Amino acid sequence: MPVRSGRLDQARVSVGGRVTVLTGGVGGAKLVLGLTRVMPPGQITAIINTGDDFRHLGLWVSPDIDTLLYTLSGRSNEERGWGRAGETWNFIDALRSLGGEDWFALGDGDLALHVERTRRLAQGDSLSAISAAFAQAWGLTTHFLPMSDDGIATFIDTAGGELAFQRYFVEHRCQPAATGIRFVGAAAAKPAPGVLEAITGADTDAIIIAPSNPFLSIDPILAVPAIADALRRTSAPCIAVSPIVGGQAVKGPTVKLMTELGIAITPVAIASHYEGIIDALLIDQRDLDVGPTVALPHAYADTLMKTLADRERVARAALSLAREISQR
Ligand code: FO1
């Protein structure tokens, strides 16, 4: 298989039509931000993981939707990776003083998203309608599509029993030894309105799987049968951006989780994990040595995303690879 590398053209790379991105978590949001900076407005559809969502204090919390809302609207707390910049914590401090559950830090501004989302869900609005309304309220032109409006919840099986994702990830700080990941509800879930169209539609020129954790943030999306089926059927080129940067598979707590589950996050493992779904893989240039062992067509770029320019560079590289594939 040809191995591509070399400079990627720095022009405003576009594949012409619409681009659909599968995303979850912070890494995914960075890439989507990069894409919004190198593509015309309104041409990007984000299919967002909702497996991390949960009901907390009676409120419906959708972390990956919120991370993308904050990131694209310039409200995100960059260094922390979630929540708002300049956040205040009067609510959670008052809750703590009452003996309320304070393990999941809800900031004062962040609370507005959860309260308003819960109110609209209670009056019968769908998560996808609410997400679109919030994106519009903040002047975002990217189309926000939750992967499904049906309930899907990521559970981590541990020696001490199963834990909903946020209980495992935040309350228990990934301490319990994990034995499995399950996406409860996914098999029976329907894609949200517009999701299948964004994958198989004639005007979709490229599909990009963002550099999110494949096993935690992308797999819940692929666990919805109709979505995986559409990705296998679509004629649009589908490329994945490897979440590994310079051999660093994933950071922090998820390294322990992946190790316990015996999941090696390497370019080869990612290529085989997405087998049948992706046509090519964008690999970090620091992983050049593993390239030849990757069966899929692939390209290299500096995929480290610290600055805005980095995000734009990786977005351009992903679009270039998709365009090359589509011209095959
Ligand atoms: N992550 C934490 O590690 N601690 C928290 O207290 C926390 C609160 C929180 C509140 C709202 C929100 O949207 C996300 C929050 N997160 C917190 C991050 C969250 O667990 C992750 O963003 C995703 O679920 C994993 O990608």
Side-chain angles (χ1 to χ4, degrees):
M1 286 292 182
V3 169
R4 276 180 221 67
S5 59
R7 298 294 307 155
L8 293 154
D9 62 315
Q10 293 307 306
R12 177 172 281 270
V13 173
S14 165
V15 286
R18 308 186 53 73
V19 171
T20 294
V21 195
L22 274 61
T23 181
V26 180
K30 287 180 181 176
L31 178 73
V32 179
L33 179 61
L35 287 166
T36 63
R37 310 241 337 150
V38 300
M39 281 184 63
Q43 293 291 79
I44 300 164
T45 298
I47 298 176
I48 310 160
N49 170 43
T50 57
D52 294 5
D53 294 17
F54 74 131
R55 183 165 293 282
H56 184 54
L57 306 175
L59 300 172
W60 191 254
V61 179
S62 297
D64 286 353
I65 292 173
D66 296 353
T67 294
L68 193 59
L69 283 168
Y70 289 142
T71 301
L72 299 191
S73 65
R75 290 177 168 85
S76 64
N77 180 308
E78 289 291 304
E79 55 278 356
R80 200 173 44 211
W82 52 269
R84 299 171 67 110
E87 183 61 280
T88 54
W89 305 94
N90 299 304
F91 164 76
I92 200 81
D93 290 345
L95 185 71
R96 186 177 304 112
S97 73
L98 295 168
E101 284 191 80
D102 64 346
W103 58 271
F104 194 75
L106 292 176
D108 297 332
D110 192 40
L111 205 49
L113 271 179
H114 314 313
V115 167
E116 181 59 9
R117 176 181 292 122
T118 304
R119 184 189 68 79
R120 294 188 189 203
L121 285 169
Q123 71 179 19
D125 294 358
S126 64
L127 186 61
S128 45
I130 296 165
S131 306
F134 285 2
Q136 196 175 14
W138 282 358
L140 304 177
T141 59
T142 296
H143 302 276
F144 277 58
L145 299 186
M147 62 193 195
S148 174
D149 284 335
D150 300 330
I152 299 173
T154 299
F155 275 80
I156 307 294
D157 293 322
T158 75
E162 66 176 26
L163 287 171
F165 183 73
Q166 298 300 342
R167 293 276 178 183
Y168 166 80
F169 187 71
V170 180
E171 185 178 28
H172 294 277
R173 297 181 316 289
C174 301
Q175 289 310 306
T179 56
I181 301 182
R182 284 181 296 117
F183 309 123
V184 176
K190 292 185 306 303
V195 166
L196 296 184
E197 175 64 20
I199 294 170
T200 58
D203 60 349
T204 296
D205 278 356
I207 298 164
I208 299 172
I209 297 184
S212 314
N213 184 310
F215 305 89
L216 273 184
S217 301
I218 302 296
D219 274 1
I221 303 175
L222 304 182
V224 179
I227 294 179
D229 176 53
L231 285 165
R232 287 194 178 84
R233 266 186 300 115
T234 184
S235 57
C238 178
I239 68 118
V241 177
S242 166
I244 299 157
V245 179
Q248 268 306 316
V250 282
K251 311 186 290 304
T254 36
V255 175
K256 174 178 179 288
L257 172 57
M258 296 292 116
T259 307
E260 286 165 357
L261 297 177
I263 295 173
I265 297 196
T266 65
V268 175
I270 287 162
S272 62
H273 186 67
Y274 288 143
E275 184 78 42
I277 298 275
I278 63 172
D279 303 299
L281 181 64
L282 185 66
I283 301 175
D284 182 65
Q285 62 194 16
R286 301 164 188 79
D287 294 312
L288 204 54
D289 58 324
V290 298
T293 55
V294 173
L296 278 172
H298 50 279
Y300 296 97
D302 178 356
T303 62
L304 184 61
M305 290 190 278
K306 287 189 182 306
T307 66
L308 204 44
D310 291 342
R311 289 160 172 71
E312 293 176 13
R313 181 188 63 248
V314 179
R316 285 196 181 92
L319 290 170
S320 290
L321 180 54
R323 195 177 53 183
E324 280 179 45
I325 293 290
S326 66
Q327 288 165 353
R328 288 183 127 207

